[in-house]
């Protein structure tokens, strides 16, 4: 038996009873000699059986009837290979796989995608809707359906599905957040309705989305999203620290100071009678915004000391080993001041 370039050549010697085919990179076959007690099958029938098995292998890669997954894999191969008929050639195979396994939601999603690609929108919509009905808590099914609705400009079901995904898992956050940015109104002035529907009170998703926007450096959308969170009291101190730091590095010190004063300041008198936050080192420095930044410096070790304090329970301790004539940069803080006269007081 020999296999080369989809050419099947059978050589049946005397006493050959049957051949078994194994689909693999190296085509193989096994033949058995019948025992004296075996029922001898006429050579013509044995040859016909071998031909049928070989034809099945050439078509499906197996000598047994293909499983629904095998059929689906063949359909995906049709999509991936650059055939002249494009996705049309895969639709029949996806339909066949679905007919053999109608309770599996992936079969419906698999069929929906080439249907959508060939303009059969209503049929595709039915497939995705049925897939979600079969598995309402599957993020994989939901993201495929959401992508279809987004491509059709149907934002209502898309938002509902994106909400479900954010509730179920964080694995698809980047994909969902990218979709939300696409759904926000083009003027970026008021994304509140979209964000309230998709994220709402989901703290993890809300903070993740804002951090995602920080990475995009999209100031109009960042500002609008911050306003949405602030109005609904969704702001947390870590987000306020992050936002103030971003504003400060983008030369908007006054807004950064305002955010810090309202949502991140540790000293109650900050911005009123005192202009240095965490002035007594009572809290671990955040290293961002308008809090202390403790930087490693040669010859100096900077730590918080809970044994000595001017007021409160802590202070900053600097240990100099004498190896470097340091210019005192290990501890700094960004300060925003309105025009005026100020007195700086320090206890050492």
């Amino acid at each position: 038996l020999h296999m080369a370039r989809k050419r099947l050549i059978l050589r049946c010697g005397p006493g050959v009873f049957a051949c078994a085919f194994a689909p693999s990179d190296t085509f193989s076959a096994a033949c058995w000699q019948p025992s004296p007690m075996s029922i001898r099958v006429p050579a013509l029938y044995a040859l016909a059986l071998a031909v049928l098995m070989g034809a099945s292998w050439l078509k499906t890669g197996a000598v047994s009837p293909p499983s629904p997954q095998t059929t689906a894999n063949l359909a995906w191969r049709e999509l991936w290979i650059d055939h002249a008929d494009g996705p049309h050639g895969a639709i029949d195979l996806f339909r066949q796989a679905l007919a053999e396994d109608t309770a599996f939601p992936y079969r419906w999603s698999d069929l929906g995608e080439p249907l959508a690609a060939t303009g059969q929108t209503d049929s595709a919509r039915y497939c995705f809707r049925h897939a979600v009905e079969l598995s309402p808590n599957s993020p994989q099914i939901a993201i495929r359906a959401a992508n279809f609705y987004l491509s059709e400009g149907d934002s209502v079901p898309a938002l509902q599905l994106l909400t479900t995904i954010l509730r179920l898992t964080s694995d698809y956050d980047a994909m969902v957040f990218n979709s939300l940015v696409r759904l926000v109104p083009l003027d970026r002035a008021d994304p509140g309705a979209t964000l309230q529907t998709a994220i709402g009170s989901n703290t993890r998703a809300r903070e993740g989305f804002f951090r995602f926007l920080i990475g995009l450096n999209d100031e109009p959308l960042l500002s609008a999203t911050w306003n949405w969170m602030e109005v609904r009291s969704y702001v947390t101190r870590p987000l306020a620290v992050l936002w103030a730091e971003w504003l400060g590095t983008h030369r908007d010190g006054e807004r950064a100071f305002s955010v810090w004063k309202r949502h991140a300041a540790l000293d109650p008198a900050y911005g009123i009678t005192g202009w240095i936050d965490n002035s007594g080192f009572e809290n671990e420095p955040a290293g961002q915004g308008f809090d202390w930044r403790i930087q490693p410096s040669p010859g100096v070790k900077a730590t918080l000391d809970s044994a000595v304090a001017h007021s409160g329970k802590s202070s900053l301790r600097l240990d100099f080993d004498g190896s470097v004539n340091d210019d005192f940069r290990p501890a700094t803080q960004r300060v925003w001041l309105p025009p005026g006269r100020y007195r700086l007081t320090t206890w050492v």
Side-chain angles (χ1 to χ4, degrees), residues 309-320:
H310 171 72
S311 61
K313 299 179 180 179
S314 183
S315 63
L316 177 69
R317 180 183 180 91
L318 300 175
D319 289 307
F320 298 88

Side-chain angles (χ1 to χ4, degrees), residues 19-34:
C19 295
F21 299 80
S24 65
D25 290 338
T26 304
F27 187 86
S28 62
C31 298
W32 292 271
Q33 295 287 338

Side-chain angles (χ1 to χ4, degrees), residues 159 190-198 228 232:
L159 275 175
D190 185 16
T194 300
L195 298 179
Q196 190 63 33
T197 300
W228 165 69
R232 290 164 178 79

